[in-house]
Amino acid sequence: MAHNLADVNAFIAVARARGFRNAARIEGTSASALSDAVRRLEGRLGARLLHRTTRSISLTEAGARLMARLEPALSEVDAALSGVGRVGDEPAGTLRLNVPVSAARLILPDLVPAFLAAYPQIRLEITAEDSFVDVLAAGADAGIRYDERLEQDMIAVPIGPRIQRFACAAAPAYLDARGRPGHPRDLLDHACLRGRFSSGASPAWEFERERETVMIEGDGPLIVNLGPAIDLAVEAAIAGTGIIYLFEAWLAPLLKSGALEPVLPDWWPSFPGPFLYYSGRRLVPPPLRAFIDFIRARPSS
């Protein structure tokens, strides 16, 4: 069945803009023309793609499935078109990355300024969130994740330190008042400042020494959304509210200044560093290829 690509483009514009009027302004056409194009496409497909109300539109299940299939294809078309005539030229365009908040805080600051200085024609768009999303469906070119959260059939490139540690710490005044734990199980008698994923799961605190591993699910007066609100828990720990468990690199400046004191440092667990990952089934856009080459050329710690 042959399809009018103009009608397909009209559907994409409306879906992205979440409305006919907004899409019409962006595309430089009329809302009625877009509406007619979407109706023609729906008629050929035999399926409703949009729920229409007087105030808003939303994708139907069929529309959402179609967009999920179209987005990767559109990215490949954009990459192919942007690469035409640029062989040997400086890479240019937009690179979209979806990363955890920890990577935006601990990994990217050491990379982004140097990368943008080396490639002034590239614009970097970064979305930092700790919910588990399909980076391609979210419109990103690549993502940063840890090994246990990598999606299948993706190419993974090491990025940042190859070994990281979790650290446990508290304000000296808190430890003077409540005592210093000698074993991870002692934390069950302390105020633990916990984190929670957007899924609702609250990860246990893991400790290891030699061949012993201990998982602790402590309790305390504060639970924050992991990622967006973690700085609030850090400030609470500095103020003496309780004990925090976080990336060692995140807490390192506070440990160095004495604002926080290490707790059970002999038990801090190490884990492999993160990876940049992207689909091996797509044409790699020039900005992403430049970023991959850039991080591969940097020494890993």
Side-chain angles (χ1 to χ4, degrees), residues 170-228:
Y174 171 89
L175 297 173
D176 289 341
R178 297 287 298 271
R180 288 166 172 78
H183 190 277
R185 295 189 185 90
D186 295 340
L187 293 171
L188 297 175
D189 297 323
H190 281 266
C192 296
L193 309 178
R194 301 290 301 279
R196 177 182 292 155
F197 289 116
S198 57
S199 64
S202 185
W205 292 3
E206 181 177 353
F207 297 89
E208 61 182 21
R209 186 172 67 179
E210 297 176 353
R211 296 185 178 181
E212 183 180 4
T213 299
V214 181
M215 307 294 288
I216 297 296
E217 296 188 9
D219 194 14
L222 179 64
I223 299 176
V224 301
N225 185 19
L226 281 172

Side-chain angles (χ1 to χ4, degrees), residues 68-290:
R69 295 290 300 274
L70 288 174
E71 289 283 8
L74 289 170
S75 296
E76 290 194 15
V77 171
D78 289 342
L81 292 175
S82 65
V84 173
R86 286 186 179 168
V87 178
D89 290 351
E90 184 177 0
T94 300
L95 172 59
R96 298 175 178 87
L97 300 179
N98 183 285
V99 309
V101 174
S102 59
R105 177 72 175 265
L106 305 176
I107 305 297
L108 293 181
D110 186 48
L111 299 174
V112 167
F115 173 71
L116 294 178
Y119 297 97
Q121 299 302 314
I122 291 178
R123 181 177 68 178
L124 194 56
E125 293 184 6
I126 296 173
T127 299
E129 57 184 345
D130 279 318
S131 57
F132 186 61
V133 300
D134 182 333
V135 296
L136 300 183
D141 300 297
I144 294 178
R145 294 290 186 271
Y146 287 86
D147 187 49
E148 72 276 8
R149 301 189 74 178
L150 290 178
E151 299 172 20
Q152 294 182 351
D153 301 324
M154 302 290 273
I155 297 175
V157 179
I159 184 171
R162 298 325 307 143
I163 298 295
Q164 294 181 280
R165 288 202 305 174
F166 279 117
C168 195
Y174 171 89
L175 297 173
D176 289 341
R178 297 287 298 271
R180 288 166 172 78
H183 190 277
R185 295 189 185 90
D186 295 340
L187 293 171
L188 297 175
D189 297 323
H190 281 266
C192 296
L193 309 178
R194 301 290 301 279
R196 177 182 292 155
F197 289 116
S198 57
S199 64
S202 185
W205 292 3
E206 181 177 353
F207 297 89
E208 61 182 21
R209 186 172 67 179
E210 297 176 353
R211 296 185 178 181
E212 183 180 4
T213 299
V214 181
M215 307 294 288
I216 297 296
E217 296 188 9
D219 194 14
L222 179 64
I223 299 176
V224 301
N225 185 19
L226 281 172
I230 198 65
D231 280 329
L232 176 59
V234 173
E235 292 299 324
I238 294 171
T241 305
I243 298 178
I244 192 167
Y245 180 91
L246 194 58
F247 290 92
E248 180 184 12
W250 199 312
L251 299 179
L254 300 171
L255 295 170
K256 184 177 181 179
S257 70
L260 293 179
E261 178 181 322
V263 173
L264 301 168
D266 292 342
W267 287 86
W268 292 355
S270 60
F271 55 96
F275 295 85
L276 176 79
Y277 77 109
Y278 60 98
S279 173
R281 297 180 177 179
R282 323 171 40 183
L283 178 68
V284 178
L288 177 55
R289 171 52 59 195

